[in-house]
Amino acid sequence: MSRGRLRIALILVTLCLAGCAEQKNTDGARQAEEQEGPLTPVAVPAASDRPEAETDEAAEPAAVRITQVRADQLRFDPERGETATVHFRIDVPAEVTLVIYDGRDRRVREVEGGRLEAGEHSLAWDGQDGRGRQVPAEAYVYTLEAIADSGAPVIHDLTDLTGGEALEVADVEWDPEAGLVRYRTDKPARVNIRLGLQNGGPYLRTLIDWVPRAAGKQAESWDGQDASGVLSLSRHPRLSVGVMAYGLPDNTLLVGAAPDRVSFADLPEEASRPRQTPKGPKRMYHHADQPLETRGDVSASLTLDGITRRDAQGRWIVSGSVPVRLNVADEDRELVLTRRFEPVFFVDGIYAFENEVGFLPMTWHWDTSSVNEGEHFVTVNVRGYDGNFGTATLKVWVDRPGAGSAPAGQEQTRE
């Protein structure tokens, strides 16, 4: 074989070997991709970008950890000299502050713990605000704020992570002899009690309005009257007692005796608690979602336009078409109109009329020819779309013209 032919043969062998190697590499890469997925490029720092050595000093400092947090008691009474003590543990030395907020998330008090070493500690609150004033009997929440020597501030706050769930209220009963509404909740809660009539009848009174209560058996006093004081419901055969409750956060402290209404201290609005979770979408009739200061029921009123006669028992004497005028208290007006409502009217506890769109004031013209002559009760329910309700009742005497006017033997008066 000539040297030229030998050289050509060697070139062909070399090309063949190179092609086989390339095909082998391609098949191997494809097989690896099928087994492990697509290959991802990895950025490797240049030699000049790599640290010469990785040491503890160069590592990011760890934030302080706050654990084993608990209060020694749920309720305490400052008037008896009692305090609330919050126990906790930190894993590194840190500056720790106990912060108290009210139901509006406004800051009530800061209790400075100063620099504390790693380990178990406690801070106490005496029930006073930052100005040294005793706070109202109410529910409050506490948080712990800690800052280590090096590291970001840490806040231990369960307010947005616990509570707010609707609770099942058990053992609800009305004891007319004792004048008590009894019930039981399985955990601390805010409670609302509304009284009314069954079978589609009206709501007639709010007994307590989202006030805080401890877990266990409860008893609320009631005089048996409706909100307007004209109906005695104590032994009414259709009496309905509705108790609603939602859970309080796990970091709640109850101050003083169980209150009969929601109260707030005079605190600046700008000093508010930072939320730990984003606020969710608004839910209709979900009371825990509403601001506490505007969560309660409203004060409604009924008047009879142009009606001036009353009998000795205080009953308005009416006949024909009667203009019944609805309004609410001045302090509730903006809330009711902003959140929208519908008014529903009842006569003697039976549905009579409603308007899908409420406005204030509004007048319903009641045709008294639909009822017998005698005593009757006209009730209105204000039903707010966000759960704010109101009620009022008037006691009247329906007169038939030419049939003796007022009830026999009873004095007529004019106003």
Side-chain angles (χ1 to χ4, degrees), residues 34-359:
E34 292 174 354
Q35 294 176 355
E36 301 179 7
L39 298 178
T40 303
V42 178
V44 179
S48 59
D49 296 333
R50 300 174 189 170
E52 294 183 2
E54 295 184 1
T55 63
D56 292 341
E57 288 76 14
E60 185 71 19
V64 60
R65 294 179 65 248
I66 309 173
T67 58
Q68 300 180 23
V69 180
R70 61 180 178 83
D72 59 353
Q73 56 186 348
L74 173 66
R75 184 186 296 279
F76 72 104
D77 190 349
E79 294 185 358
R80 298 180 180 179
E82 298 174 353
T83 61
T85 301
V86 177
H87 304 268
F88 58 94
R89 181 182 181 86
I90 53 177
D91 62 340
V92 296
E95 298 276 345
V96 183
T97 304
L98 173 67
V99 187
I100 308 297
Y101 296 93
D102 69 7
R104 301 167 296 180
D105 284 337
R106 295 190 185 181
R107 187 187 304 138
V108 175
R109 177 81 176 275
E110 291 184 352
V111 180
E112 300 286 349
R115 177 183 169 81
L116 302 176
E117 297 299 322
E120 296 182 359
H121 302 278
S122 63
L123 293 173
W125 178 44
D126 58 7
Q128 296 183 355
D129 66 11
R131 300 179 186 176
R133 302 171 300 181
Q134 176 62 54
V135 298
E138 248 293 338
Y140 300 83
V141 296
Y142 64 87
T143 69
L144 289 168
E145 299 180 3
I147 303 178
D149 294 341
S150 58
V154 173
I155 299 176
H156 184 282
D157 183 3
L158 300 178
T159 309
D160 301 323
L161 304 175
T162 59
E165 74 279 16
L167 301 179
E168 183 175 350
V169 182
D171 305 331
V172 177
E173 65 172 3
W174 160 240
D175 184 346
E177 301 300 331
L180 296 173
V181 174
R182 305 182 193 275
Y183 61 97
R184 177 176 57 83
T185 60
D186 291 334
K187 65 171 294 184
R190 284 198 179 272
V191 181
N192 171 285
I193 298 179
R194 291 174 180 157
L195 305 147
L197 299 182
Q198 299 173 357
N199 303 325
Y203 134 72
L204 294 166
R205 181 169 178 174
T206 299
L207 185 58
I208 58 174
D209 203 5
W210 302 117
V211 295
R213 293 290 185 262
K217 295 181 179 180
Q218 307 292 335
E220 314 290 350
S221 297
W222 178 39
D223 59 7
Q225 297 291 305
D226 74 320
S228 301
V230 299
L231 285 172
S232 178
L233 303 171
S234 178
R235 299 187 182 277
H236 197 292
R238 290 169 55 201
L239 176 65
S240 172
V241 180
V243 185
M244 296 180 290
Y246 66 85
L248 287 168
D250 292 349
N251 55 327
T252 294
L253 294 172
L254 300 180
V255 177
D260 58 3
R261 61 188 180 89
V262 174
S263 301
F264 301 110
D266 181 17
L267 300 168
E269 185 175 357
E270 60 271 13
S272 299
R273 182 184 64 83
R275 289 190 62 88
Q276 301 302 302
T277 59
K279 192 171 184 179
K282 183 177 178 181
R283 294 171 288 182
M284 184 176 289
Y285 295 118
H286 198 277
H287 300 283
D289 290 350
Q290 311 301 332
L292 182 57
E293 58 269 38
T294 58
R295 188 176 300 160
D297 290 335
V298 300
S299 177
S301 64
L302 284 179
T303 55
L304 304 177
D305 288 351
I307 306 298
T308 59
R309 292 193 304 160
R310 301 178 77 170
D311 63 18
Q313 296 184 29
R315 299 175 295 194
W316 296 99
I317 301 173
V318 300
S319 62
S321 179
V322 178
V324 182
R325 184 181 178 91
L326 161 67
N327 214 334
V328 301
D330 290 342
E331 60 269 23
D332 295 326
R333 184 181 181 87
E334 181 178 359
L335 170 69
V336 172
L337 291 175
T338 301
R339 294 187 174 180
R340 302 177 59 207
F341 74 100
E342 61 179 15
V344 185
F345 291 86
F346 301 81
V347 175
D348 299 330
I350 300 174
Y351 169 83
F353 172 79
E354 71 177 299
N355 196 349
E356 295 294 337
V357 179
F359 52 90

Side-chain angles (χ1 to χ4, degrees), residues 11-31:
I11 293 172
L12 291 175
V13 171
T14 302
L15 291 175
C16 180
L17 292 174
C20 292
E22 182 177 356
Q23 181 65 37
K24 181 178 181 181
N25 290 339
T26 301
D27 294 342
R30 185 180 296 112
Q31 184 178 3

